[in-house]
Amino acid sequence: SGNGSMYQSDGMAAVQWGISNATIDVINLSFGSSDPMTVDDDDYTRFWDGLVHGQNVVLSKSAGNEGGVEETLTAPAGTYNGIVVANLNDQGTVTRADDAIASGSSRGPTPNGRKKPDIAAPGTGITAPNHLWEGTASDHVSKSGTSMAAPHIGGAATLLHDVGITDPRTVKAVLINTADFLAGQTNWN
């Protein structure tokens, strides 16, 4: 189904191993809990904020796929330093006039009232490699969700890093401040 689970400690251990054994500029975390956040600043979120701040790594984090009207973000989407990404449905058209946040995309604010997600990227009907590609299965599948949107922002962050914009705060600011506004948004845009 494409779903998975992990202990938070396993995620932190994997990242620690990665930064100890390689040079990492950007991390995409398309993984979160299945329950909406209840606090902004838990230990797991602090870990990711510390990674961005202390290791100079850009974090692109999926907002979650809990839908709803508000306060459905999944941990650690409350991160102050990471870039939290919503699923933008571009309706399969070239025009941006019909673009909208997908109904299943998690929304903020955080439990303490901070506005999140930070940005939206295409996440509906994205062609991706099939984890069952061997044998008779198709090499690619179409998937939707914030886990498909966040890698677009991670890729954009990598391109910015490659041209010399390496401070994670600057990368986040450039991406947010150059994003288009969605037509018809009445609240957080």
Side-chain angles (χ1 to χ4, degrees), residues 82-102:
I83 306 168
V84 179
V85 186
N87 173 2
L88 177 77
N89 183 350
D90 65 8
Q91 311 296 331
T93 64
V94 175
T95 179
R96 296 227 173 141
D98 61 353
D99 292 0
I101 301 297

Side-chain angles (χ1 to χ4, degrees), residues 32-106:
S33 67
S34 59
D35 298 319
M37 293 172 37
T38 57
V39 297
D40 274 29
D41 198 23
D42 61 6
D43 290 339
Y44 192 52
T45 303
R46 280 188 226 124
F47 168 82
W48 292 101
D49 278 333
L51 176 74
V52 174
H53 180 73
Q55 298 295 322
N56 211 36
V57 173
V58 175
L59 171 65
S60 173
K61 165 66 180 101
S62 58
N65 300 312
E66 303 305 312
V69 177
E70 62 180 31
E71 294 186 19
T72 57
L73 298 166
T74 59
T79 175
Y80 288 87
N81 299 328
I83 306 168
V84 179
V85 186
N87 173 2
L88 177 77
N89 183 350
D90 65 8
Q91 311 296 331
T93 64
V94 175
T95 179
R96 296 227 173 141
D98 61 353
D99 292 0
I101 301 297
S103 62
S105 186
S106 289

